[in-house]
Amino acid sequence: MLLGEKVALRARIESDVPVLHEELYGDVATRSRADSRPWQPVPLESGQSPYRVSPPSEDAAVFSVVERAGGALAGEALLWGIDTHNRSAHLGISLRPSCRGRGLGVDTVRVLCRYGFETRGLHRLQLETLADNAAMIGAAERAGFALDGTLRGAAWVSGRFVDEVVLGLLAGDRSD
């Protein structure tokens, strides 16, 4: 288990799946803003939930986020597209609606960065998010990420193209 000030990151367990599927995947509007693939109905019983428990892989590290105070499931966190040659990866988080706005996001980002840099030996972490996602941008900036650029009209969201931003953090730029 990876510990932060407010959160812990642990392996996903079967009892996490229905909660994450219902609250994160079932929120079509939010999920459509967070994933570049179009939302489609996926019944939990199909075994195809994006939150299903999967074996470890070399190119992704998937975690459930739990609150340290009380151990409640708060959301998911992952490093994906792990590139061992270039020592880089993408970072993503998604918190349950009841867990947003309490500083859990920035702590989750910091713990993921520590894992990526110290455990995986990565050099660069980056995240991509919609340009109007103030919560994710703020959490990333508080964790030390810098704006690398804007991808104009790069994301198709709810019937229109919107801008995406790319934020990056190098291992040598960390302040924690």
Side-chain angles (χ1 to χ4, degrees):
M1 189 173 304
L2 305 173
L3 300 176
E5 291 179 20
K6 297 180 178 187
V7 301
L9 305 185
R10 62 159 170 75
R12 179 142 324 133
I13 58 177
E14 288 296 336
S15 61
D16 296 343
V17 178
V19 176
L20 295 174
H21 189 85
E22 173 68 26
E23 292 190 33
L24 300 180
Y25 194 78
D27 180 354
V28 178
T30 301
R31 179 69 186 199
S32 295
R33 293 175 47 80
D35 195 331
S36 61
R37 297 164 293 194
W39 186 91
Q40 57 183 318
V42 176
L44 179 62
E45 302 77 23
S46 72
Q48 297 303 308
S49 172
Y51 305 102
R52 68 188 176 277
V53 175
S54 302
S57 76
E58 289 299 313
D59 66 346
V62 178
F63 301 95
S64 284
V65 179
V66 295
E67 292 188 69
R68 288 195 64 180
L73 179 64
E76 73 152 345
L78 67 151
L79 291 182
W80 58 276
I82 298 172
D83 178 339
T84 56
H85 176 73
N86 292 302
R87 294 177 48 204
S88 64
H90 301 264
L91 177 148
I93 69 168
S94 186
L95 297 177
R96 296 171 64 194
S98 63
C99 297
R100 297 175 189 155
R102 298 192 284 135
L104 303 179
V106 67
D107 196 37
T108 300
V109 170
R110 286 181 177 138
V111 174
L112 272 177
C113 289
R114 193 171 65 241
Y115 171 75
F117 293 132
E118 295 176 11
T119 303
R120 299 297 294 254
L122 299 175
H123 169 69
R124 175 184 167 79
L125 295 175
Q126 80 176 42
L127 63 92
E128 303 82 11
T129 190
L130 300 181
D132 67 352
N133 188 348
M136 186 68 233
I137 294 167
E141 288 175 338
R142 285 190 298 282
F145 281 74
L147 179 66
D148 285 341
T150 300
L151 305 172
R152 296 178 306 124
W156 178 254
V157 179
S158 300
R160 65 187 179 97
F161 286 103
V162 297
D163 294 350
E164 265 187 342
V165 293
V166 177
L167 295 104
L169 179 64
L170 302 179
D173 293 343
R174 293 175 56 210
S175 60
D176 61 340

